[in-house]
Amino acid sequence: MASYAAVLIFLLLGIGLVLVTFFTARLIRPSNPYKEKNQTYECGERPFGDSWVQFNNRFYIFALLFVIFDVEVVFLFPWAVAFNQLGLFALIEMVIFIVILVFGLVYAWKKGVLKWV
Amino acid sequence: MELTGIFKYLYELLAATGLPEVWVDIIALIAAGVIVFGFLALVALFLVWLERKFAGHAQQRPGPMRTGWHGWRQTIADAIKLLQKEDIRPTLVDRFVYFWAPVVVFVAAFMAYVVIPFGEGLIVSDLNVGILYVVAITSFTVIGMLMAGWGSNNKYSLLGGMRSAAQVVSYEIPMVIAICSVILFVGSLSMVDIVQSQAKIYQWYVFRLPFGPIAFIIYLIAGTAETNRTPFDLPEAEQELVAGFNTEYSGMKFAMFFLAEFVNMFTVSAIGATLFLGGWQGPLLPSWMWFLGKTMFLVLVLMLFRWTFPRLRVDQLMEFAWKTLIPFAFVNLILAAVMKYSGWFNW
């Protein structure tokens, strides 16, 4: 049964089973909400403002780097699978490819992008 | 005793009812899914108990003892408790995103089990893109975490969600490169092919010097980070972020995050056992026992990590991924390629 139908069925089944669990819990759990209980948690202090604000994060640079390297990894997979048939040519080509990428990583490193402030 | 026979018998019983073949397959797949779901729930209950006992003994105390033999009923009681807990939803949350986040996190963890080879013939569907599928599906967890962090409208959740996204995304690259170096030797992405290429113990990829052990260690470190476990558990560092992205969750929704965490830990160990420790291969005992044994061994290693290493700082965490693991993984990949090409240690 090497079929991709399993993926679809597992997706639907996963969502279904989680929703069934939520529904079961709904039947037996108490529900007693009031204003104070439904406040946003901020260590017992009165919460101030929204958290949907702009804040300085360092994460987008890592996200950018990730996209580059992840695309590269996508190229690595078919290379790895077909390596037996391709031989020396594939080996040298991939070494060149990886060296170019590592050069990019070194550049980012030197620029101080990888430093977490 | 092999379990394959039982499932084959049940499948034939189903086929004998005279239903069209499509329906027989669909019912069989649904049954397989329900079995996997039940199995994962049991595994999670067991792992929570084991983690507590391990934590206890690591700190020279017995851990849960009161409920049943060595407290084995403790986690069952906890599961029932969580089912009965009130679901507190803060007024300010983004309802849609807040509701679906735990579903996404759990389903991403659950779907990986389509291709996990529990034993010889004990695989739901041997997809030809096997390992790539696992890598792709498990990274959906990041989206769930970001959804939880953003949807909660809570500062701790948002910071926790952002941190875990940056972390999981960074450690995915060394992990995938380590996996790639194994794929190089197998020449196929199918999980069954990966296991079958390690029939003898000296063929296990951990023992293929010099690239094997390095790839295994990189995989294990990155796997620990992927599952947000100590020493990489910054997203839920209690002292600074309360509980990270699941701060605002309670009751069954919280339980789903918790369940997904332990399922992910089991997945990482199972993939590690498949890729490096020969999967179901082993003498005498039935194949599924070997698989579970190897997986549990890796789970115990992850638990040992948790109770022996202190937590890293954020900057150390990110720099370790980008400045140490990724260069090492690349060098190791080239090493593996040279080894493969030269036929050195090509058993």
Side-chain angles (χ1 to χ4, degrees):
Chain A
M1 275 201 300
S3 78
Y4 287 85
V7 178
L8 179 67
I9 286 176
F10 264 62
L11 172 67
L12 298 177
L13 200 69
I15 296 171
L17 286 170
V18 174
L19 293 184
V20 165
T21 325
F22 283 177
F23 184 71
T24 321
R26 191 181 202 144
L27 293 179
I28 55 175
R29 72 180 182 220
S31 178
N32 178 26
Y34 47 88
K35 195 166 156 279
E36 284 77 19
K37 193 191 266 177
N38 284 348
Q39 261 183 1
T40 302
Y41 177 78
E42 226 154 86
C43 294
E45 295 288 323
R46 202 156 295 194
F48 66 96
D50 219 32
S51 63
W52 294 330
V53 288
Q54 285 190 323
F55 66 100
N56 178 19
N57 74 24
R58 302 279 311 155
F59 305 102
Y60 75 99
I61 289 175
F62 287 97
L64 277 178
L65 276 175
F66 167 72
V67 170
I68 298 162
F69 278 89
D70 213 36
V71 168
E72 183 234 335
V73 160
V74 168
F75 286 122
L76 281 180
F77 267 103
W79 166 75
V81 171
F83 187 73
N84 255 346
Q85 290 97 49
L86 298 175
L88 187 62
F89 172 71
L91 178 62
I92 292 170
E93 285 290 308
M94 199 39 85
V95 168
I96 294 170
F97 184 57
I98 290 174
V99 164
I100 293 171
L101 269 150
V102 170
F103 186 73
L105 185 67
V106 171
Y107 177 73
W109 193 335
K110 279 273 172 292
K111 277 275 170 187
V113 172
L114 300 182
K115 215 177 183 93
W116 188 279
V117 241
Chain B
M1 191 191 71
E2 289 291 348
L3 292 175
T4 327
I6 301 171
F7 288 115
K8 208 162 260 170
Y9 174 74
L10 288 175
Y11 182 77
E12 273 156 19
L13 215 63
L14 192 66
T17 52
L19 281 167
E21 208 170 314
V22 187
W23 282 105
V24 170
D25 279 354
I26 289 175
I27 293 169
L29 281 175
I30 291 174
V34 173
I35 291 168
V36 168
F37 187 81
F39 171 75
L40 291 179
L42 278 179
V43 160
L45 284 179
F46 174 69
L47 288 184
V48 174
W49 174 80
L50 191 68
E51 176 107 66
R52 282 180 174 174
K53 292 306 274 188
F54 200 101
H57 288 287
Q59 298 167 346
Q60 301 200 343
R61 55 184 175 84
M65 284 300 274
R66 303 279 169 125
T67 48
W69 182 80
H70 280 263
W72 69 273
R73 286 184 298 205
Q74 185 72 49
T75 44
I76 301 171
D78 282 342
I80 297 168
K81 177 204 73 180
L82 275 172
L83 201 63
Q84 293 172 333
K85 280 283 178 189
E86 185 180 353
D87 185 44
I88 303 164
R89 190 185 58 205
T91 349
L92 292 173
V93 299
D94 182 328
R95 283 184 169 210
F96 180 79
V97 177
Y98 180 82
F99 179 81
W100 286 101
V103 182
V104 171
V105 169
F106 179 77
V107 171
F110 175 65
M111 279 177 74
Y113 283 81
V114 172
V115 292
I116 302 277
F118 289 99
E120 204 165 1
L122 270 185
I123 181 167
V124 175
S125 177
D126 180 26
L127 302 182
N128 51 7
V129 290
I131 188 73
L132 184 63
Y133 166 81
V134 173
V135 171
I137 284 294
T138 46
S139 37
F140 270 99
T141 313
V142 186
I143 297 172
M145 286 169 176
L146 276 177
M147 281 166 77
W150 178 258
S152 297
N153 198 356
N154 177 316
K155 282 142 203 137
Y156 299 116
S157 302
L158 184 61
L159 280 173
M162 285 294 183
R163 268 194 197 181
S164 56
Q167 172 184 334
V168 172
V169 142
S170 298
Y171 279 87
E172 194 170 308
I173 296 162
M175 187 182 199
V176 175
I177 296 170
I179 290 172
C180 239
S181 56
V182 170
I183 297 306
L184 200 67
F185 277 79
V186 184
S188 162
L189 297 171
S190 149
M191 299 295 261
V192 172
D193 289 349
I194 292 171
V195 176
Q196 276 167 352
S197 68
Q198 315 175 59
K200 300 277 180 315
I201 189 163
Y202 59 82
Q203 286 177 324
W204 292 7
Y205 288 106
V206 235
F207 298 131
R208 302 227 180 164
L209 296 165
F211 99 96
I214 304 175
F216 182 59
I217 291 167
I218 292 173
Y219 173 83
L220 212 56
I221 295 173
T224 319
E226 288 273 296
T227 46
N228 291 332
R229 287 179 62 82
T230 327
F232 307 107
D233 65 338
L234 284 136
E236 34 197 306
E238 300 94 329
Q239 293 88 340
E240 34 186 310
L241 285 179
V242 192
F245 57 86
N246 57 27
T247 303
E248 289 291 5
Y249 285 89
S250 53
M252 226 38 223
K253 291 202 183 90
F254 168 75
M256 279 302 151
F257 282 117
F258 204 62
L259 186 61
E261 200 182 308
F262 279 88
V263 168
N264 274 330
M265 181 178 158
F266 192 77
T267 313
V268 164
S269 307
I271 303 286
T274 309
L275 284 173
F276 296 99
L277 301 180
W280 72 67
Q281 309 273 14
L284 297 171
L285 289 172
S287 56
W288 58 274
M289 270 191 196
W290 275 107
F291 175 79
L292 284 185
K294 287 167 184 173
T295 308
M296 283 318 294
F297 168 72
L298 287 183
V299 165
L300 285 174
V301 171
L302 289 185
M303 285 186 181
L304 191 66
F305 280 179
R306 176 159 181 181
W307 297 106
T308 42
F309 294 132
R311 182 184 296 138
L312 270 73
R313 286 201 318 262
V314 179
D315 57 329
Q316 289 171 336
L317 176 94
M318 300 305 281
E319 286 181 12
F320 181 62
W322 289 95
K323 295 185 179 172
T324 312
L325 275 188
I326 291 179
F328 260 103
F330 272 132
V331 171
N332 194 41
L333 180 68
I334 293 173
L335 187 69
V338 171
M339 261 175 77
K340 171 79 181 170
Y341 180 72
S342 63
W344 182 27
F345 274 92
N346 244 359
W347 293 310

